[in-house]
């Protein structure tokens, strides 16, 4: 099997973890199965770049001299906001030549500037998804998943999601066992599907300004199996149901029902990953009442059933 060249684009003020995260995954795959990958880094003129955290990275080559890659990785960072026009032009000409074009975090804005996301579904860091959608209306921006594959183009969310995407690509090239081995070596769990939300229910919603609503958010997370209807929550907050629903949405950016749904899915996911409890027991603990209600919620939120989620994402027991 011939080496697959993985080329990582470098530029000043790049986010260092966007670079090193995927590189460590592919390097681990090369150690696991020698002859699989050849990793190269390149900057516009072949000069060292300074990352946004102050690290200096020395590239292997200049972009003009870089080999045609199998996988082209475009990281993000502060330097992606006002890129050198030459970098955008290079991406426009060379991005389509790669078998796989991958962006990490705000690297999506770079490949969007090059016109390589037009007509495609894509994601980026949740804090910049609105800007990506406004600046590039031809791109179908989905701010929720940690990564999205659309044809030969793959985009990922915030920094660590680049590791999840790289693991998925290694699993595609080699097999699941190889990806699991690398994930364990990096002390990360190969458990996050691409359609998993970028952040927890508590982070997905804004924290309410008023203490009673902040306390209620904490209480919901700690009691997912309780009666969390709007009426019950409003009573706990000392407000009328109508006033409560309006205030909760105004301060958190989401409805009480949607917030509760996220909390319950997240709680059930953790139990499926970390315990041996049965699905019926977990559905009760998580506030669903029945396994069928939990199954419907999982299919809607994650695109998979609880049983399949556990099979795929619960760590294997260590013997």
């Amino acid at each position: 099997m011939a080496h697959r060249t993985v080329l990582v684009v470098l530029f000043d003020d790049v986010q260092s973890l966007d670079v090193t995260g995927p590189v460590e995954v592919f390097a681990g795959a090369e150690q696991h199965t020698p002859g699989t990958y050849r990793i190269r880094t390149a900057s516009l003129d072949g000069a060292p770049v300074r990352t946004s955290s102050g690290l200096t990275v020395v590239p292997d080559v200049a972009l003009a001299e870089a080999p045609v890659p199998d996988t082209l990785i475009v990281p993000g960072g502060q330097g992606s906001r006002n890129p050198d026009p030459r970098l955008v032009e290079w991406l426009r000409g060379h991005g389509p030549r790669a078998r796989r074009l991958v962006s990490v975090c705000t690297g999506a804005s770079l490949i969007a500037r090059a016109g390589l996301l037009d007509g495609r579904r894509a994601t980026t860091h949740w804090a910049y998804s609105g800007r990506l959608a406004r600046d590039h209306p031809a791109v179908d921006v989905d701010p929720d998943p940690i990564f999205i594959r659309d044809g030969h183009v793959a985009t990922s969310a915030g920094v660590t999601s680049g590791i999840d995407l790289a693991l998925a690509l290694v699993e595609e090239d080699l097999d699941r066992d190889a990806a699991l081995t690398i994930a364990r070596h990096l002390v990360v769990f190969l458990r996050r599907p691409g359609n998993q939300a970028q952040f927890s229910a508590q982070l997905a919603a804004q924290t309410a300004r008023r203490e009673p609503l902040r306390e209620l958010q904490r209480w919901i997370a700690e009691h997912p199996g309780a009666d969390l209807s709007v009426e019950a929550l409003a009573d706990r907050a000392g407000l009328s149901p109508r006033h409560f629903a309006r205030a909760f949405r105004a301060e958190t950016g989401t409805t009480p029902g949607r917030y509760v749904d996220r909390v319950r899915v997240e709680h059930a996911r953790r139990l499926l990953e970390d315990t041996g409890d049965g699905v019926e027991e977990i559905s009760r603990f998580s506030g669903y009442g029945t396994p069928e209600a939990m199954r419907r919620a999982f299919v809607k939120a994650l695109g998979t059933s609880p049983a399949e989620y556990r099979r795929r994402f619960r760590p294997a027991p260590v013997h």
Side-chain angles (χ1 to χ4, degrees):
M1 179 177 61
H3 278 92
R4 298 177 172 92
T5 298
V6 177
L7 180 66
V8 184
V9 174
L10 301 179
F11 47 87
D12 283 327
D13 281 330
V14 69
Q15 161 62 249
S16 57
L17 192 56
D18 287 5
V19 175
T20 59
V23 164
E24 289 293 342
V25 171
F26 286 110
E30 172 60 21
Q31 292 173 3
H32 180 275
T33 309
T36 303
Y37 297 108
R38 177 182 291 109
I39 303 164
R40 293 290 182 268
T41 57
S43 66
L44 267 173
D45 300 314
V49 301
R50 190 172 179 82
T51 72
S52 57
S53 61
L55 297 175
T56 296
V57 181
V58 180
D60 296 309
V61 294
L63 282 173
E65 302 165 0
V68 176
D70 174 83
T71 301
L72 176 60
I73 299 178
V74 183
Q78 297 174 12
S80 66
R81 297 175 191 174
N82 294 293
D84 189 313
R86 295 178 299 158
L87 175 57
V88 176
E89 282 303 309
W90 187 91
L91 289 171
R92 182 176 290 116
H94 292 77
R97 299 169 62 189
R99 182 173 69 91
R100 293 186 301 214
L101 175 60
V102 175
S103 71
V104 182
C105 197
T106 54
S109 66
L110 286 174
I111 60 175
R113 283 174 182 263
L116 302 177
L117 287 183
D118 288 357
R120 295 187 184 276
R121 182 167 167 260
T123 194
T124 187
H125 190 290
W126 62 270
Y128 299 100
S129 59
R131 179 176 177 176
L132 181 65
R134 287 192 302 271
D135 291 349
H136 303 281
V139 181
D140 179 11
V141 179
D142 187 342
D144 286 333
I146 59 172
F147 64 82
I148 289 175
R149 304 284 300 276
D150 188 334
H152 80 289
V153 179
T155 53
S156 60
V159 286
T160 57
S161 62
I163 295 175
D164 295 288
L165 176 52
L167 286 167
L169 297 178
V170 167
E171 181 177 354
E172 177 184 288
D173 291 341
L174 300 178
D175 55 38
R176 181 168 174 77
D177 287 341
L180 279 168
T181 298
I182 297 159
R184 293 183 185 120
H185 181 72
L186 294 175
V187 199
V188 297
F189 288 122
L190 185 64
R191 61 166 64 170
R192 298 208 297 176
N195 59 357
Q196 182 170 319
Q198 290 192 30
F199 32 54
S200 69
Q202 287 70 40
L203 289 177
Q206 304 165 30
T207 301
R209 292 187 300 275
R210 285 182 281 179
E211 178 57 31
L213 291 182
R214 286 203 304 273
E215 177 57 35
L216 187 62
Q217 285 179 287
R218 290 192 290 268
W219 189 86
I220 291 170
E222 293 168 0
H223 301 85
D227 179 0
L228 301 180
S229 64
V230 169
E231 291 75 18
L233 293 175
D235 183 64
R236 189 171 187 86
L239 300 170
S240 71
R242 185 174 180 181
H243 185 194
F244 166 72
R246 187 167 59 246
F248 191 93
R249 180 162 193 169
E251 295 205 17
T252 67
T254 190
T255 65
R258 191 169 299 163
Y259 186 78
V260 167
D261 288 344
R262 287 171 173 165
V263 167
R264 284 177 166 161
V265 167
E266 185 176 319
H267 184 263
R269 271 186 32 236
R270 285 200 303 269
L271 293 179
L272 288 168
E273 293 169 359
D274 300 332
T275 77
D277 295 344
V279 170
E280 185 169 354
E281 193 174 13
I282 290 174
S283 68
R284 187 170 65 254
F285 289 158
S286 302
Y288 292 110
T290 67
E292 176 57 25
M294 187 169 81
R295 189 194 70 80
R296 289 196 300 269
F298 264 61
V299 169
K300 180 180 179 181
L302 301 175
T304 189
S305 69
E308 176 63 12
Y309 182 91
R310 168 172 272 174
R311 187 189 73 78
R312 292 178 62 191
F313 303 114
R314 187 181 180 192
V318 179
H319 300 290

